[in-house]
Amino acid sequence: MREKLAAAHAGPHTESRVSVRLKSNGLWKCIKRDKYLYLMLIPIVTYYLLFKYAPMFGEIIAFKDYRFAEGIWGSDWVGLKHFRKLFGSPDFFNILKNTLLLNVYNVVFGFPVPIILALLLNELRIEWYKRLVQNLLYVPHFISWVVLGGIIIALLSPSSGAVNMALHNVFGIEPVYFLASQFWWPIVFVLSGIWHSAGWNTILYMAAITGIDPQLYEAARIDGAGRIRQIWHITLPGIRSTIAILLILRMGYMMDIGFEQIFILQNSAVSEVADVISTYVYRMGLQNVQYSYTTALGLFQSMIGLILIVSMNRLVKLLGEKGLW
């Protein structure tokens, strides 16, 4: 208090220095008080420093003609050569289009599914049945895409797959080559992605729903609101901030669709719609040893992802929700 009174008489510059010192003292008091909690953060901070921030040093490869024998510093600077080559490549716009389209399909059709599942699970009143359904929904998340891909390929096989056999026996439809059709392949991709991750993503929404005050539901029931109205006017507004934050984070992955699922399910017949940035980087970077070229592509990919996540965060805040910052 004496420091604040002295700062008020001394002028604005002294007051700002005192306020900074007070904030610094308060910060050190918090660190000293919660020192064990901060110690628990050290492994996480170390992980991000080593595996997320330290590799950023390698981005300078995008501006060099990198040769493994000469190393990063020994390789020649070439400026924007690899970016010009990238934007002039006929394959670039095709893989960019495929990456964005598949991610848009995932957002439009896949993003709402965990929300719907969480709302349905919240309405179940038989506890053992609710736990059983939850466990069955979570299981695919823990199975490798190699295994899941094998299951999907076996199910959709035109000769012995259960799906084609059912279509033929029930509806008399001739076998459909789902994984060799440019029309059916994106549908299989989106549905298999939902099967793999939708159940696991319901955990966050279920946690958000449990944080809603139960008295709101009691008041709604007294006023005569049915379950649909309770979901619309209480549950959905209660998890709206969680939906907004997860949507912002999802936008950060619009340029990164992953590798395992695409690589397992794609084939040469559908490369026109299934070749994306991750598979292109694998083919050009690892198989053709064009490290600088694919690093330039990765840097472009990261910059677009950053722009998307910042823009989405701004949009969410304009809509009245709290963003990530």
Side-chain angles (χ1 to χ4, degrees):
M1 181 62 71
R2 286 197 299 269
E3 290 180 338
K4 291 182 179 180
L5 291 174
H9 291 290
H13 297 290
T14 306
E15 183 178 358
S16 63
R17 288 196 296 270
V18 172
S19 62
V20 170
R21 187 163 63 250
L22 289 173
K23 289 180 181 178
S24 178
N25 292 335
L27 175 62
W28 282 111
K29 285 182 180 177
C30 290
I31 293 176
K32 186 177 180 181
R33 183 189 61 200
D34 302 324
K35 55 182 177 295
Y36 296 112
L37 294 178
Y38 284 101
L39 284 173
M40 293 173 64
L41 279 175
I42 291 177
I44 306 300
V45 173
T46 304
Y47 167 79
Y48 276 95
L49 288 175
L50 290 178
F51 298 104
K52 301 297 181 181
Y53 288 96
M56 289 183 182
F57 167 75
E59 295 294 342
I60 63 173
I61 296 175
F63 306 96
K64 285 174 166 279
D65 193 6
Y66 177 71
R67 291 180 175 83
F68 186 78
E70 297 176 0
I72 295 177
W73 291 117
S75 301
D76 298 329
W77 288 95
V78 293
L80 299 177
K81 169 188 172 182
H82 299 294
F83 291 94
R84 288 192 292 268
K85 178 183 176 182
L86 175 65
F87 297 138
S89 171
D91 297 326
F92 170 70
F93 293 101
N94 184 55
I95 62 170
L96 180 62
K97 179 196 70 175
N98 292 340
T99 303
L100 290 175
L101 275 178
L102 291 176
N103 270 311
V104 168
Y105 296 153
N106 277 333
V107 171
V108 173
F109 299 106
F111 187 80
V113 172
I115 303 173
I116 297 171
L117 288 175
L119 295 175
L120 294 175
L121 287 171
N122 187 58
E123 295 301 316
L124 293 178
R125 296 294 177 262
I126 305 175
E127 286 300 323
W128 69 267
Y129 182 70
K130 181 177 180 179
R131 288 194 297 270
L132 176 63
V133 173
Q134 283 180 301
N135 290 330
L136 291 176
L137 289 173
Y138 298 160
V139 165
H141 177 77
F142 299 99
I143 301 176
S144 167
W145 265 116
V146 176
V147 178
L148 279 181
I151 295 173
I152 293 168
I153 293 170
L155 288 174
L156 299 179
S157 171
S159 57
S160 59
V163 174
N164 272 305
M165 290 178 65
L167 290 175
H168 179 72
N169 294 332
V170 178
F171 301 104
I173 299 175
E174 293 300 317
V176 179
Y177 292 77
F178 290 101
L179 295 178
S181 168
Q182 294 187 8
F183 172 79
W184 285 106
W185 192 91
I187 298 174
V188 173
F189 173 81
V190 173
L191 292 178
S192 62
I194 293 173
W195 178 36
H196 178 261
S197 60
W200 178 256
N201 290 335
T202 58
I203 293 175
L204 295 173
Y205 296 111
M206 290 293 292
I209 290 173
T210 57
I212 300 174
D213 189 352
Q215 294 182 359
L216 295 175
Y217 293 102
E218 294 177 6
R221 283 193 293 268
I222 292 173
D223 290 339
R227 287 192 174 184
I228 301 298
R229 286 191 172 273
Q230 291 177 36
I231 292 173
W232 184 257
H233 294 288
I234 299 175
T235 309
L236 282 176
I239 64 174
R240 188 171 56 188
S241 60
T242 303
I243 295 173
I245 291 175
L246 291 179
L247 183 59
I248 294 171
L249 294 174
R250 183 64 185 82
M251 287 297 107
Y253 291 96
M254 286 298 289
M255 294 290 291
D256 183 11
I257 201 167
F259 176 77
E260 294 88 353
Q261 182 185 5
I262 292 279
F263 188 73
I264 293 297
L265 297 180
Q266 74 170 191
N267 54 75
S268 58
V270 293
S271 59
E272 189 67 23
V273 296
D275 195 16
V276 294
I277 290 177
S278 57
T279 55
Y280 185 73
V281 168
Y282 168 75
R283 188 169 64 253
M284 300 300 293
L286 295 181
Q287 293 184 337
N288 295 343
V289 201
Q290 298 186 30
Y291 299 121
S292 296
Y293 177 68
T294 50
T295 302
L297 175 56
L299 185 57
F300 167 79
Q301 181 182 11
S302 300
M303 292 303 298
I304 298 300
L306 176 63
I307 292 171
L308 287 174
I309 198 169
V310 170
S311 302
M312 194 64 195
N313 185 75
R314 178 64 177 169
L315 177 61
V316 165
K317 293 180 76 173
L318 288 175
L319 294 175
E321 292 295 329
K322 293 181 179 179
L324 292 176
W325 60 86

